[in-house]
Amino acid sequence: MKILRVALAVSGLVVSFAGQAAPQLYNGHYYDLIVNTSGNFTFDEAVADAASRTYLGNTGYVATVTSAGEQSFIYNSVSNITAWIGGNDRASEGSFRWINGPEAGQLFSYTFWTGGEPNNCCNGEDDVVINWGGDGSWNDIGLPSFPDYRVAYIIEYGGSRNVPEPGSMALFGMALAGLGAIRRRKNTK
């Protein structure tokens, strides 16, 4: 899998989780790793790029990680790649909030910081990356101390405009068929 990612990176293509061609589904939301081989993204560039993408009618946003299950899914999907997630403490030092997606403006309710983080090192770090220590844990970095720090980012699609999963549509169809059968049975009596 690492060889596939390197080959895709060299060719200048966006890399998907585990070499997949489409975003991967977890808990009703779709996720993908976005890599720009011409230099990757600052945090602000990642936010703008995510907002310009859509999948199944949903506008993308830099992922908001709100549970241990979601954390584990993303970590297992990106292996050893450090990437932006959608939060920072730019508005108030030490108060990390999600800046996009359905959780925009909410304080982090779940965290997975690398030991000693967040530490606001070197005159200030505000933005959050996942997989800092190779174990999926988070670090604060970026503005204002490292304004040119560039990495991939995790995009998430979901929220208020989610398209139902195919399994949901199948269940809905079976329910309609069952109602039709009941109606036919009543009409024949």
Side-chain angles (χ1 to χ4, degrees):
M1 207 53 67
K2 288 180 184 176
I3 293 170
L4 175 61
R5 283 187 179 163
V6 170
L8 288 172
V10 170
S11 69
L13 299 173
V14 170
V15 178
S16 295
F17 283 166
Q20 300 296 320
Q24 300 300 297
L25 179 65
Y26 173 78
N27 204 24
H29 290 235
Y30 290 87
Y31 300 80
D32 210 349
L33 174 67
I34 305 298
V35 177
N36 178 347
T37 58
S38 63
N40 270 320
F41 304 88
T42 65
F43 183 83
D44 292 332
E45 289 168 347
V47 171
D49 188 71
S52 74
R53 296 173 183 262
T54 60
Y55 184 72
L56 296 178
N58 293 291
T59 300
Y61 53 94
V62 182
T64 57
V65 185
T66 59
S67 70
E70 187 177 23
Q71 166 69 31
S72 179
F73 171 79
I74 291 171
Y75 169 66
N76 289 325
S77 299
V78 300
S79 65
N80 64 349
I81 297 173
T82 300
W84 296 116
I85 56 175
N88 64 41
D89 69 343
R90 290 182 187 180
S92 178
E93 182 56 42
S95 295
F96 285 88
R97 294 182 182 275
W98 298 114
I99 56 92
N100 60 183
E103 292 83 13
Q106 295 178 17
L107 287 169
F108 287 11
S109 59
Y110 168 83
T111 61
F112 190 61
W113 296 109
T114 296
E117 299 296 342
N119 64 5
N120 201 37
C121 172
C122 315
N123 300 316
E125 297 175 313
D126 291 332
D127 308 318
V128 182
V129 292
I130 191 170
N131 204 27
W132 182 253
D135 62 355
S137 58
W138 305 356
N139 182 31
D140 61 332
I141 195 158
L143 291 175
S145 294
F146 303 98
D148 295 323
Y149 186 75
R150 304 174 86 74
V151 292
Y153 73 91
I154 307 299
I155 194 168
E156 182 175 352
Y157 303 94
S160 61
R161 294 191 60 214
N162 276 345
V163 174
E165 294 179 51
S168 300
M169 294 304 290
L171 288 173
F172 181 71
M174 290 185 337
L176 286 177
L179 288 173
I182 291 170
R183 187 174 183 163
R184 271 186 259 126
R185 192 178 305 162
K186 284 184 180 179
N187 289 339
T188 60
K189 289 186 180 184

